[in-house]
Amino acid sequence: MDLSTLHSFRVAACDLNGQMRGKRVPPSYSDKLSKGAVRMPFSALNVDLWGADIAGSPLVFESGDADGMLLPTDRGPVPMPWLAVDTALVPMCLHDDAGAPFAGDPRHALASVLHRYAQRDWSVAAATELEFTLLDASGPQPQPPVNPVTGRRLTDEAVLSMAEMDAFDSFFTDLYDGCAEMGIPAQTAISESGIGQFEINLNHQDAMRCADDTWLFKALTRGLARKHGFTATFMSKPYAEDAGNGMHVHFSVVDGKGRNVFDNGGPKGTDLLRWAVAGCLAAMPGSTLIFAPHGNSYTRLVPGAHAPTGASWAYENRTAAVRIPGGAPAARRIEHRVAGGDINPYLMLAAVLGAALNGIEDELDPPAPISGNAYEIDGLPQLATDWADAIAAFETDPQVARIFSADLIRFLAMTKRQEIRRFGDRPPEDHWLSYLEAV
């Protein structure tokens, strides 16, 4: 894409909440991006949900609110099909003036984990399954959208309904076209179990590219929904009494000779697979804040509501937090089923892949795989049950400390505590407005 021919274009990095922070720049910047021409305060990636500085953050007054350099990632520029004028977005990462990665940049956190795999001559492939809800946000509370074919508001669940998919065909056609333009590997789409809820899967690919594309897909979906006259949200629980939005991730690991290290030729997988599962389970309670980063997230994480709350694993069992899907041994992989749709893709993949590698490094044996309904099994290690406990656990968990830098742990904890305080000053019935298109 020739950026110099555009009227202007955007440059943006991902903040701790997964929001884009950056600038609109003229085409003259197109040949200067790799030289650090675009600068931004380090604090801008560690603001709260509304974009406010974090009180007491060392990135603000203590350091003079210093700037870093935005440098392009290897994802390259992508079009922005949800806008009326042809333009582009260049995904960026934040560095200091010596070129060192900024510890508070979520993409760098994932890069650090993937570097640990590369040191073993391993690469990681990952895929995400993204659930989102289409709704009408024009009133005082969210409500289901109007069916474009019938003109009547949706009222019921429509699991795997082709009629409901076809009713929103114009939107989904534009969404698939947008994915193709942006190079996002969108695969199957289905009508899910919630009212106005849908799911689209992104194909397996390099783990960093998977995180990039998941981040971009969320922006594309929200933007195109606005063009079609309704709202798309990835918030965990748009309606208190309806299904929540999850985001499952599948991953496998390939060695330098192209072999899947989880494949032993049979259905059970290798010791490396079991060790990776054990690592995921060990880090799960302490990583709750990554999988459920917002107050609204905890309305989804309730027992028996199709969102795992206990750390368990199983073969071909969708009630378990970690599932080993069946199929050909060569495609043996791990599915992590805990995260909500409101996550930061970079932090979520870093948490999952970092935990798996912790288990492999420690040759950690998992408990026996469960059978039956995980929601009815007593004694499983539990995820944090509320936002404040999740923050405290994230700060002190030794598995988390092996995955994320001390600075990122500190910045995220401060950010989330400020959000708790600020939500406490807002009427609960208005909280959904803050989450609607921000997460």
Side-chain angles (χ1 to χ4, degrees):
M1 178 180 292
D2 185 356
L3 298 174
S4 66
T5 65
L6 300 173
H7 181 272
S8 65
F9 61 93
R10 278 74 161 163
V11 295
C14 180
D15 76 5
L16 289 178
N17 279 310
Q19 295 190 52
M20 293 182 178
R21 303 285 175 188
K23 300 183 179 185
R24 179 172 177 159
V25 297
S28 60
Y29 272 66
S30 60
D31 60 355
K32 301 188 291 186
L33 295 182
S34 62
K35 301 173 184 177
V38 183
R39 299 176 66 80
M40 189 170 76
F42 292 116
S43 60
L45 292 193
N46 294 168
V47 292
D48 67 19
L49 186 66
W50 302 273
D53 282 335
I54 305 303
S57 170
L59 299 173
V60 188
F61 297 118
E62 185 179 314
S63 62
D65 207 7
D67 278 347
M69 297 187 297
L70 283 174
L71 297 176
T73 73
D74 55 6
R75 181 62 175 82
V78 294
M80 303 176 73
W82 59 92
L83 297 179
V85 177
D86 286 343
T87 188
L89 167 70
V90 182
M92 310 286 272
C93 275
L94 197 54
H95 302 253
D96 67 20
D97 284 341
F102 168 51
D105 186 320
R107 196 176 192 272
H108 288 318
L110 177 56
S112 177
V113 169
L114 294 176
H115 178 69
R116 292 169 57 193
Y117 280 89
Q119 288 178 316
R120 289 175 168 257
D121 197 24
W122 288 353
S123 60
V124 183
T128 48
E129 302 174 351
L130 296 110
E131 293 176 346
F132 58 92
T133 301
L134 299 181
L135 52 78
D136 176 358
S138 62
Q141 291 296 310
Q143 55 185 338
V146 171
N147 182 315
V149 172
T150 66
R152 293 187 292 272
R153 198 173 298 280
L154 301 183
T155 58
D156 298 294
E157 300 83 354
V159 177
L160 294 172
S161 167
M162 294 309 301
E164 188 137 312
M165 289 291 301
D166 290 346
F168 292 90
D169 178 69
S170 179
F171 165 71
F172 281 101
T173 297
D174 281 356
L175 185 56
Y176 271 95
D177 287 348
C179 285
E181 288 182 56
M182 297 176 73
I184 298 172
Q187 300 292 301
T188 57
I190 63 169
S191 175
E192 260 288 356
S193 60
I195 300 174
Q197 184 185 46
F198 299 90
E199 176 186 284
I200 289 186
N201 298 339
L202 304 188
N203 202 17
H204 277 82
Q205 57 182 332
D206 169 80
M208 182 61 82
R209 176 71 180 236
C210 174
D212 288 339
D213 285 354
T214 300
W215 183 56
L216 294 170
F217 177 84
K218 293 175 77 171
L220 172 66
T221 304
R222 289 189 291 255
L224 288 178
R226 287 193 294 272
K227 287 186 70 173
H228 282 264
F230 39 78
T231 297
T233 184
F234 293 84
M235 64 188 293
S236 279
K237 200 80 164 175
Y239 308 113
E241 303 304 323
D242 199 17
N245 289 316
M247 203 207 77
H248 303 162
V249 61
H250 295 246
F251 71 95
S252 57
V253 181
V254 176
D255 67 18
K257 295 181 179 180
R259 297 175 299 201
N260 181 350
V261 305
F262 295 156
D263 172 23
N264 71 343
K268 298 300 182 183
T270 61
D271 285 343
L272 288 167
L273 180 141
R274 294 189 306 102
W275 297 339
V277 166
C280 288
L281 298 180
M284 196 174 289
S287 302
T288 304
L289 184 64
I290 299 297
F291 308 135
H294 305 287
N296 176 261
S297 308
Y298 295 86
T299 60
R300 171 180 169 268
L301 285 181
V302 294
H306 299 287
T309 56
S312 66
W313 76 291
Y315 293 94
E316 276 294 11
N317 184 334
R318 284 185 168 85
T319 68
V322 175
R323 169 180 173 251
I324 311 303
R332 191 66 60 229
R333 64 192 187 276
I334 293 173
E335 179 187 10
H336 199 287
R337 299 175 54 80
V338 177
D342 56 352
I343 51 82
N344 179 319
Y346 298 106
L347 295 182
M348 191 276 288
L349 275 165
V352 170
L353 299 179
L357 194 53
N358 287 353
I360 290 171
E361 289 173 350
D362 296 346
E363 298 186 2
L364 188 64
D365 284 323
I370 68 162
S371 59
N373 186 353
Y375 305 115
E376 296 178 350
I377 296 176
D378 294 327
L380 295 176
Q382 295 295 300
L383 277 71
T385 57
D386 64 57
W387 206 7
D389 286 349
I391 297 169
F394 183 74
E395 285 182 300
T396 57
D397 188 88
Q399 297 297 322
V400 168
R402 293 170 62 181
I403 300 168
F404 297 105
S405 71
D407 282 341
L408 189 141
I409 292 170
R410 180 185 182 190
F411 297 151
L412 184 59
M414 293 182 73
T415 298
K416 294 299 160 183
R417 288 203 171 97
Q418 176 159 307
E419 290 173 4
I420 287 178
R421 292 193 297 271
R422 296 193 69 185
F423 270 113
D425 295 332
R426 295 166 182 251
E429 62 271 20
D430 292 343
H431 286 186
W432 68 281
L433 290 167
S434 296
Y435 292 124
L436 186 65
E437 294 186 85
V439 301

